[in-house]
Amino acid sequence: MMSWHPQYRSSKFRHVFGKPASKENCYDCVPITRSVHDNHFCAVNPHFIAVVTECAGGGAFLVIPLHQTGKLDPHYPKVCGHKGNVLDIKWNPFDDFVIASCSEDATIKIWDIPKQLLSRNITLSKKELLGHGRRVGLLEWHPTAANILFSTGYDYKLMIWNLDTKEPVILNPVKTIDFHQDVILSMSFNTDGSLLATTCKDRKIRIIDPRAGTVLQEANYKSHRANKVLFLGNMKKLLSTGTSRWNNRQIALWNEDDLSVPLIEEDLDGSSGVLFPFFDSDTKMLYVVGKGDGNIRYYEISAEKPYLNYLTEYRSYLPQKGIGIMPKRGLDVSSCEIFRFYKLITTKGLIEPISMIVPRRSESYQEDIYPLTAGSQSALTAREWLSGMNKGPILVSLRPGSELVNSQPQFPERTISNSRPLESNRYLDRIERKMTFEDAKKPHKFQDEKRPRQGMDQVQEDRKPWLSNGFDLFECPPPKTENELLQMFYRQQEEIRRLRELVNQREVQIKQLELEIKNVHMNSGTY
């Protein structure tokens, strides 16, 4: 006998809501591209937001510092070196200052972005990849191996590039996969990057072993014409978005080991825009963003039936041309933010951040909604992955102070060593003393501290770069307007607050280590 009582699910994400940024925290007057290509046109990391822009006489994109909100200067410098329109851009997941772009001119370029604010156009790329015969439409970095880039073009080829070389121009990829019979529409890796799923214009989903270049699974299901595909973390499932035979927009869930029939299909609406899926493997939440409409639907994925559990949707009357997402290490954990979108609104020339927030009363760090997540360090070198090794991502904690968000080790000036907490504390303390107005009124205090440490070593020590939100303050141009001055002031205040939190965290860690040492001595009887 069927009960009339409704079935409720217990979920900590049931009340997640989308919070758009205020007007002053958006990016205004941005000349967003009007290309009809079905790509995101936006890439974000904790330092920069990059967006493809309208440009006469070739292709270009903008790289804007994340904290440089408000109206954009009409003459803001661009990254422009392509001879055709830029179709896709992707940040290197293991180096926040390297970005890849592909274009209608059939080339792929790798760019070094300077840590200081751009003062002129960047036209010279770090590397150029020449291998495709027609325009290149999609790029994807390998999720765990450094310097491995995948590209697809309108020549129906999928190419694997090893960027771990000194040559500025790479003519041949390490692997070319050419069994697709039409244009590849999307690519997605599983967690360790050993498998690649693709959708093609023939509407088939394929699971590929990229190193062997062989098809492991292929979906021939006629009722669902797939457009985008996504691996769902370690859940052994795939999700695809596309259209039904009646041209309704549809999402389908698949078993990774059997693509003959989808586990579930769900029709959404009758709109024509492409659906972009995004999956957060930490929270098991799926976000579905429709191109051309203002809605963002979100679901919770479970391992058992009904698998797909609808939560709610964020609604807006402003349609999105494209979308960018912030990596988990760039989120604001103090406000219980679990995901952040950057919505491109072409009609207004606006980029609007939208934060997905779990409502919590407590202001402390919420361990249950922030499990260990993929960090900014690669697990494998390019050679190791190409030789057949597989490793999952290196996980880090998002707890403030537990790990500094850094880029590659070749930029030591951007990071503060975790292995020397006492030296770090002294360095941070010196920054705070220099940047705090009250301490500046006490010159004798600094003289007493500096007296026993005179000489060239001390001069060089004092000239270490000061970093504010990832930028060298000495290399930034001085503020020219009152608004720029205020922005610089707020950045410095935020940097002081963050550094104080770091110092407090280090002091707690030192006390914990002292207690552990004391316990060890007491247990061994040598204390």
Side-chain angles (χ1 to χ4, degrees), residues 52-90:
V52 180
T53 181
E54 282 292 297
C55 180
F61 59 96
L62 298 170
V63 175
I64 308 169
L66 200 67
H67 299 280
Q68 190 174 321
T69 55
K71 287 189 176 182
L72 190 73
D73 187 339
H75 304 291
Y76 189 83
K78 299 179 176 66
V79 181
C80 48
H82 287 287
K83 297 178 182 178
N85 292 331
V86 174
L87 298 182
D88 198 14
I89 48 176
K90 291 284 170 39

mmCIF file of all heavy atoms in Angstrom, residues 52-90:
data_model
loop_
_atom_site.group_PDB
_atom_site.id
_atom_site.type_symbol
_atom_site.label_atom_id
_atom_site.label_comp_id
_atom_site.label_asym_id
_atom_site.label_seq_id
_atom_site.Cartn_x
_atom_site.Cartn_y
_atom_site.Cartn_z
ATOM 1 N N VAL A 52 36.828 36.837 -23.715
ATOM 2 C CA VAL A 52 37.016 37.089 -25.142
ATOM 3 C C VAL A 52 36.259 38.367 -25.510
ATOM 4 O O VAL A 52 35.119 38.579 -25.102
ATOM 5 C CB VAL A 52 36.500 35.903 -25.975
ATOM 6 C CG1 VAL A 52 36.705 36.164 -27.459
ATOM 7 C CG2 VAL A 52 37.222 34.621 -25.563
ATOM 8 N N THR A 53 36.901 39.206 -26.302
ATOM 9 C CA THR A 53 36.343 40.525 -26.586
ATOM 10 C C THR A 53 36.195 40.750 -28.091
ATOM 11 O O THR A 53 36.789 40.050 -28.903
ATOM 12 C CB THR A 53 37.255 41.623 -25.991
ATOM 13 O OG1 THR A 53 36.702 42.903 -26.255
ATOM 14 C CG2 THR A 53 38.640 41.567 -26.605
ATOM 15 N N GLU A 54 35.377 41.740 -28.417
ATOM 16 C CA GLU A 54 35.257 42.175 -29.802
ATOM 17 C C GLU A 54 36.530 42.923 -30.189
ATOM 18 O O GLU A 54 37.003 43.788 -29.453
ATOM 19 C CB GLU A 54 34.044 43.080 -29.973
ATOM 20 C CG GLU A 54 32.719 42.345 -30.039
ATOM 21 C CD GLU A 54 32.574 41.523 -31.309
ATOM 22 O OE1 GLU A 54 32.557 42.113 -32.399
ATOM 23 O OE2 GLU A 54 32.482 40.294 -31.203
ATOM 24 N N CYS A 55 37.071 42.599 -31.345
ATOM 25 C CA CYS A 55 38.317 43.230 -31.757
ATOM 26 C C CYS A 55 38.378 43.263 -33.274
ATOM 27 O O CYS A 55 38.139 42.248 -33.940
ATOM 28 C CB CYS A 55 39.515 42.466 -31.194
ATOM 29 S SG CYS A 55 41.119 43.160 -31.626
ATOM 30 N N ALA A 56 38.690 44.408 -33.837
ATOM 31 C CA ALA A 56 38.807 44.534 -35.292
ATOM 32 C C ALA A 56 40.195 44.087 -35.728
ATOM 33 O O ALA A 56 41.195 44.366 -35.069
ATOM 34 C CB ALA A 56 38.568 45.977 -35.717
ATOM 35 N N GLY A 57 40.254 43.383 -36.856
ATOM 36 C CA GLY A 57 41.534 43.003 -37.435
ATOM 37 C C GLY A 57 42.230 41.864 -36.742
ATOM 38 O O GLY A 57 43.453 41.834 -36.680
ATOM 39 N N GLY A 58 41.482 40.908 -36.183
ATOM 40 C CA GLY A 58 42.097 39.761 -35.516
ATOM 41 C C GLY A 58 41.320 39.383 -34.275
ATOM 42 O O GLY A 58 40.197 39.822 -34.065
ATOM 43 N N GLY A 59 41.923 38.538 -33.453
ATOM 44 C CA GLY A 59 41.266 38.070 -32.243
ATOM 45 C C GLY A 59 41.999 38.544 -31.008
ATOM 46 O O GLY A 59 43.220 38.674 -31.009
ATOM 47 N N ALA A 60 41.256 38.798 -29.944
ATOM 48 C CA ALA A 60 41.866 39.284 -28.706
ATOM 49 C C ALA A 60 40.999 38.882 -27.527
ATOM 50 O O ALA A 60 39.826 38.537 -27.673
ATOM 51 C CB ALA A 60 42.042 40.800 -28.741
ATOM 52 N N PHE A 61 41.610 38.925 -26.343
ATOM 53 C CA PHE A 61 40.854 38.761 -25.107
ATOM 54 C C PHE A 61 41.451 39.660 -24.040
ATOM 55 O O PHE A 61 42.606 40.108 -24.150
ATOM 56 C CB PHE A 61 40.813 37.295 -24.656
ATOM 57 C CG PHE A 61 42.161 36.665 -24.399
ATOM 58 C CD1 PHE A 61 42.688 36.610 -23.118
ATOM 59 C CD2 PHE A 61 42.891 36.093 -25.432
ATOM 60 C CE1 PHE A 61 43.920 36.021 -22.868
ATOM 61 C CE2 PHE A 61 44.117 35.480 -25.200
ATOM 62 C CZ PHE A 61 44.630 35.457 -23.917
ATOM 63 N N LEU A 62 40.652 39.956 -23.040
ATOM 64 C CA LEU A 62 41.064 40.821 -21.944
ATOM 65 C C LEU A 62 41.457 39.971 -20.743
ATOM 66 O O LEU A 62 40.850 38.931 -20.483
ATOM 67 C CB LEU A 62 39.925 41.755 -21.539
ATOM 68 C CG LEU A 62 39.410 42.739 -22.589
ATOM 69 C CD1 LEU A 62 38.128 43.400 -22.104
ATOM 70 C CD2 LEU A 62 40.458 43.802 -22.879
ATOM 71 N N VAL A 63 42.456 40.422 -20.007
ATOM 72 C CA VAL A 63 42.830 39.810 -18.737
ATOM 73 C C VAL A 63 42.750 40.904 -17.675
ATOM 74 O O VAL A 63 43.562 41.832 -17.657
ATOM 75 C CB VAL A 63 44.241 39.200 -18.790
ATOM 76 C CG1 VAL A 63 44.637 38.676 -17.421
ATOM 77 C CG2 VAL A 63 44.294 38.074 -19.811
ATOM 78 N N ILE A 64 41.741 40.796 -16.815
ATOM 79 C CA ILE A 64 41.460 41.836 -15.823
ATOM 80 C C ILE A 64 41.792 41.293 -14.444
ATOM 81 O O ILE A 64 41.348 40.195 -14.091
ATOM 82 C CB ILE A 64 39.978 42.251 -15.885
ATOM 83 C CG1 ILE A 64 39.571 42.606 -17.323
ATOM 84 C CG2 ILE A 64 39.693 43.409 -14.946
ATOM 85 C CD1 ILE A 64 38.079 42.779 -17.510
ATOM 86 N N PRO A 65 42.570 42.021 -13.632
ATOM 87 C CA PRO A 65 42.784 41.595 -12.246
ATOM 88 C C PRO A 65 41.444 41.429 -11.527
ATOM 89 O O PRO A 65 40.527 42.235 -11.699
ATOM 90 C CB PRO A 65 43.609 42.740 -11.644
ATOM 91 C CG PRO A 65 44.290 43.359 -12.823
ATOM 92 C CD PRO A 65 43.343 43.232 -13.971
ATOM 93 N N LEU A 66 41.327 40.392 -10.735
ATOM 94 C CA LEU A 66 40.039 40.026 -10.155
ATOM 95 C C LEU A 66 39.439 41.156 -9.323
ATOM 96 O O LEU A 66 38.224 41.340 -9.294
ATOM 97 C CB LEU A 66 40.219 38.773 -9.296
ATOM 98 C CG LEU A 66 38.954 37.977 -9.007
ATOM 99 C CD1 LEU A 66 38.415 37.346 -10.273
ATOM 100 C CD2 LEU A 66 39.215 36.916 -7.952
ATOM 101 N N HIS A 67 40.284 41.925 -8.661
ATOM 102 C CA HIS A 67 39.776 42.968 -7.762
ATOM 103 C C HIS A 67 39.600 44.316 -8.464
ATOM 104 O O HIS A 67 39.221 45.292 -7.830
ATOM 105 C CB HIS A 67 40.711 43.126 -6.554
ATOM 106 C CG HIS A 67 40.811 41.877 -5.737
ATOM 107 N ND1 HIS A 67 39.857 41.506 -4.820
ATOM 108 C CD2 HIS A 67 41.739 40.883 -5.726
ATOM 109 C CE1 HIS A 67 40.196 40.362 -4.258
ATOM 110 N NE2 HIS A 67 41.340 39.972 -4.799
ATOM 111 N N GLN A 68 39.869 44.374 -9.746
ATOM 112 C CA GLN A 68 39.710 45.630 -10.476
ATOM 113 C C GLN A 68 38.282 45.712 -11.042
ATOM 114 O O GLN A 68 38.044 45.603 -12.235
ATOM 115 C CB GLN A 68 40.747 45.725 -11.598
ATOM 116 C CG GLN A 68 40.809 47.107 -12.249
ATOM 117 C CD GLN A 68 41.933 47.206 -13.248
ATOM 118 O OE1 GLN A 68 43.013 46.667 -13.014
ATOM 119 N NE2 GLN A 68 41.713 47.890 -14.354
ATOM 120 N N THR A 69 37.344 45.920 -10.151
ATOM 121 C CA THR A 69 35.941 45.984 -10.537
ATOM 122 C C THR A 69 35.563 47.404 -10.946
ATOM 123 O O THR A 69 36.368 48.333 -10.864
ATOM 124 C CB THR A 69 35.056 45.511 -9.382
ATOM 125 O OG1 THR A 69 35.360 46.280 -8.208
ATOM 126 C CG2 THR A 69 35.304 44.040 -9.083
ATOM 127 N N GLY A 70 34.317 47.571 -11.361
ATOM 128 C CA GLY A 70 33.851 48.876 -11.812
ATOM 129 C C GLY A 70 33.980 49.019 -13.316
ATOM 130 O O GLY A 70 34.088 48.036 -14.055
ATOM 131 N N LYS A 71 33.981 50.239 -13.787
ATOM 132 C CA LYS A 71 34.039 50.497 -15.222
ATOM 133 C C LYS A 71 35.436 50.245 -15.765
ATOM 134 O O LYS A 71 36.433 50.645 -15.171
ATOM 135 C CB LYS A 71 33.623 51.949 -15.513
ATOM 136 C CG LYS A 71 32.126 52.201 -15.349
ATOM 137 C CD LYS A 71 31.736 53.571 -15.852
ATOM 138 C CE LYS A 71 30.225 53.766 -15.770
ATOM 139 N NZ LYS A 71 29.789 55.078 -16.294
ATOM 140 N N LEU A 72 35.460 49.593 -16.908
ATOM 141 C CA LEU A 72 36.732 49.285 -17.550
ATOM 142 C C LEU A 72 37.122 50.417 -18.492
ATOM 143 O O LEU A 72 36.285 50.954 -19.222
ATOM 144 C CB LEU A 72 36.615 47.976 -18.331
ATOM 145 C CG LEU A 72 37.909 47.385 -18.871
ATOM 146 C CD1 LEU A 72 38.729 46.802 -17.721
ATOM 147 C CD2 LEU A 72 37.618 46.293 -19.897
ATOM 148 N N ASP A 73 38.388 50.773 -18.468
ATOM 149 C CA ASP A 73 38.908 51.801 -19.365
ATOM 150 C C ASP A 73 38.715 51.352 -20.823
ATOM 151 O O ASP A 73 39.070 50.225 -21.179
ATOM 152 C CB ASP A 73 40.402 51.993 -19.074
ATOM 153 C CG ASP A 73 41.010 53.171 -19.838
ATOM 154 O OD1 ASP A 73 40.427 53.581 -20.865
ATOM 155 O OD2 ASP A 73 42.064 53.664 -19.418
ATOM 156 N N PRO A 74 38.154 52.206 -21.689
ATOM 157 C CA PRO A 74 37.971 51.815 -23.100
ATOM 158 C C PRO A 74 39.279 51.438 -23.800
ATOM 159 O O PRO A 74 39.262 50.685 -24.773
ATOM 160 C CB PRO A 74 37.353 53.061 -23.745
ATOM 161 C CG PRO A 74 36.761 53.829 -22.617
ATOM 162 C CD PRO A 74 37.601 53.549 -21.414
ATOM 163 N N HIS A 75 40.403 51.956 -23.308
ATOM 164 C CA HIS A 75 41.707 51.656 -23.905
ATOM 165 C C HIS A 75 42.485 50.637 -23.072
ATOM 166 O O HIS A 75 43.722 50.594 -23.128
ATOM 167 C CB HIS A 75 42.520 52.937 -24.052
ATOM 168 C CG HIS A 75 41.836 54.010 -24.846
ATOM 169 N ND1 HIS A 75 41.616 53.896 -26.206
ATOM 170 C CD2 HIS A 75 41.288 55.193 -24.468
ATOM 171 C CE1 HIS A 75 40.977 54.976 -26.637
ATOM 172 N NE2 HIS A 75 40.760 55.777 -25.596
ATOM 173 N N TYR A 76 41.761 49.824 -22.308
ATOM 174 C CA TYR A 76 42.435 48.828 -21.476
ATOM 175 C C TYR A 76 43.221 47.856 -22.364
ATOM 176 O O TYR A 76 42.717 47.403 -23.395
ATOM 177 C CB TYR A 76 41.404 48.069 -20.643
ATOM 178 C CG TYR A 76 42.027 47.168 -19.599
ATOM 179 C CD1 TYR A 76 42.427 47.667 -18.372
ATOM 180 C CD2 TYR A 76 42.227 45.818 -19.859
ATOM 181 C CE1 TYR A 76 42.997 46.856 -17.411
ATOM 182 C CE2 TYR A 76 42.809 44.985 -18.910
ATOM 183 C CZ TYR A 76 43.195 45.510 -17.695
ATOM 184 O OH TYR A 76 43.771 44.702 -16.761
ATOM 185 N N PRO A 77 44.472 47.506 -21.984
ATOM 186 C CA PRO A 77 45.311 46.640 -22.835
ATOM 187 C C PRO A 77 44.679 45.271 -23.058
ATOM 188 O O PRO A 77 43.989 44.726 -22.192
ATOM 189 C CB PRO A 77 46.616 46.529 -22.041
ATOM 190 C CG PRO A 77 46.627 47.714 -21.142
ATOM 191 C CD PRO A 77 45.206 48.005 -20.802
ATOM 192 N N LYS A 78 44.944 44.713 -24.230
ATOM 193 C CA LYS A 78 44.410 43.407 -24.613
ATOM 194 C C LYS A 78 45.556 42.419 -24.832
ATOM 195 O O LYS A 78 46.715 42.812 -25.002
ATOM 196 C CB LYS A 78 43.594 43.509 -25.908
ATOM 197 C CG LYS A 78 42.375 44.415 -25.837
ATOM 198 C CD LYS A 78 41.671 44.459 -27.185
ATOM 199 C CE LYS A 78 40.389 45.274 -27.133
ATOM 200 N NZ LYS A 78 40.643 46.704 -26.869
ATOM 201 N N VAL A 79 45.196 41.143 -24.837
ATOM 202 C CA VAL A 79 46.107 40.090 -25.282
ATOM 203 C C VAL A 79 45.709 39.772 -26.713
ATOM 204 O O VAL A 79 44.667 39.165 -26.964
ATOM 205 C CB VAL A 79 46.002 38.836 -24.396
ATOM 206 C CG1 VAL A 79 46.980 37.773 -24.865
ATOM 207 C CG2 VAL A 79 46.257 39.191 -22.932
ATOM 208 N N CYS A 80 46.500 40.251 -27.661
ATOM 209 C CA CYS A 80 46.094 40.159 -29.068
ATOM 210 C C CYS A 80 47.284 39.691 -29.919
ATOM 211 O O CYS A 80 48.236 40.421 -30.109
ATOM 212 C CB CYS A 80 45.571 41.497 -29.573
ATOM 213 S SG CYS A 80 46.602 42.916 -29.184
ATOM 214 N N GLY A 81 47.210 38.462 -30.384
ATOM 215 C CA GLY A 81 48.252 37.945 -31.261
ATOM 216 C C GLY A 81 47.696 37.022 -32.317
ATOM 217 O O GLY A 81 48.418 36.616 -33.224
ATOM 218 N N HIS A 82 46.404 36.693 -32.204
ATOM 219 C CA HIS A 82 45.776 35.827 -33.196
ATOM 220 C C HIS A 82 45.325 36.641 -34.407
ATOM 221 O O HIS A 82 44.944 37.811 -34.283
ATOM 222 C CB HIS A 82 44.564 35.116 -32.578
ATOM 223 C CG HIS A 82 44.926 34.032 -31.619
ATOM 224 N ND1 HIS A 82 45.441 32.818 -32.027
ATOM 225 C CD2 HIS A 82 44.844 33.963 -30.266
ATOM 226 C CE1 HIS A 82 45.653 32.058 -30.970
ATOM 227 N NE2 HIS A 82 45.295 32.726 -29.886
ATOM 228 N N LYS A 83 45.323 36.005 -35.567
ATOM 229 C CA LYS A 83 44.874 36.661 -36.793
ATOM 230 C C LYS A 83 43.382 36.445 -37.043
ATOM 231 O O LYS A 83 42.815 37.069 -37.947
ATOM 232 C CB LYS A 83 45.674 36.137 -37.984
ATOM 233 C CG LYS A 83 47.166 36.458 -37.889
ATOM 234 C CD LYS A 83 47.930 35.867 -39.061
ATOM 235 C CE LYS A 83 49.429 36.151 -38.935
ATOM 236 N NZ LYS A 83 50.203 35.534 -40.045
ATOM 237 N N GLY A 84 42.764 35.550 -36.299
ATOM 238 C CA GLY A 84 41.329 35.307 -36.403
ATOM 239 C C GLY A 84 40.677 35.412 -35.037
ATOM 240 O O GLY A 84 41.347 35.591 -34.008
ATOM 241 N N ASN A 85 39.362 35.313 -35.001
ATOM 242 C CA ASN A 85 38.627 35.435 -33.748
ATOM 243 C C ASN A 85 39.058 34.354 -32.754
ATOM 244 O O ASN A 85 39.251 33.196 -33.124
ATOM 245 C CB ASN A 85 37.120 35.320 -33.997
ATOM 246 C CG ASN A 85 36.589 36.512 -34.768
ATOM 247 O OD1 ASN A 85 37.119 37.613 -34.675
ATOM 248 N ND2 ASN A 85 35.529 36.298 -35.537
ATOM 249 N N VAL A 86 39.192 34.747 -31.492
ATOM 250 C CA VAL A 86 39.492 33.788 -30.423
ATOM 251 C C VAL A 86 38.219 33.016 -30.095
ATOM 252 O O VAL A 86 37.156 33.606 -29.882
ATOM 253 C CB VAL A 86 40.038 34.515 -29.177
ATOM 254 C CG1 VAL A 86 40.217 33.536 -28.023
ATOM 255 C CG2 VAL A 86 41.359 35.204 -29.493
ATOM 256 N N LEU A 87 38.324 31.683 -30.033
ATOM 257 C CA LEU A 87 37.160 30.841 -29.804
ATOM 258 C C LEU A 87 37.114 30.246 -28.397
ATOM 259 O O LEU A 87 36.047 29.945 -27.890
ATOM 260 C CB LEU A 87 37.100 29.711 -30.842
ATOM 261 C CG LEU A 87 36.966 30.153 -32.301
ATOM 262 C CD1 LEU A 87 36.881 28.942 -33.213
ATOM 263 C CD2 LEU A 87 35.747 31.045 -32.490
ATOM 264 N N ASP A 88 38.271 30.058 -27.773
ATOM 265 C CA ASP A 88 38.274 29.480 -26.423
ATOM 266 C C ASP A 88 39.525 29.924 -25.688
ATOM 267 O O ASP A 88 40.589 30.114 -26.299
ATOM 268 C CB ASP A 88 38.221 27.946 -26.500
ATOM 269 C CG ASP A 88 37.795 27.314 -25.175
ATOM 270 O OD1 ASP A 88 37.297 28.044 -24.300
ATOM 271 O OD2 ASP A 88 37.954 26.087 -25.026
ATOM 272 N N ILE A 89 39.394 30.090 -24.362
ATOM 273 C CA ILE A 89 40.526 30.437 -23.495
ATOM 274 C C ILE A 89 40.417 29.595 -22.229
ATOM 275 O O ILE A 89 39.328 29.357 -21.728
ATOM 276 C CB ILE A 89 40.550 31.945 -23.134
ATOM 277 C CG1 ILE A 89 39.170 32.421 -22.655
ATOM 278 C CG2 ILE A 89 41.044 32.789 -24.287
ATOM 279 C CD1 ILE A 89 39.139 33.864 -22.199
ATOM 280 N N LYS A 90 41.572 29.140 -21.731
ATOM 281 C CA LYS A 90 41.596 28.320 -20.508
ATOM 282 C C LYS A 90 42.856 28.639 -19.712
ATOM 283 O O LYS A 90 43.967 28.617 -20.256
ATOM 284 C CB LYS A 90 41.574 26.821 -20.849
ATOM 285 C CG LYS A 90 40.257 26.322 -21.435
ATOM 286 C CD LYS A 90 39.199 26.172 -20.369
ATOM 287 C CE LYS A 90 37.811 25.919 -20.916
ATOM 288 N NZ LYS A 90 37.671 25.057 -22.044
#
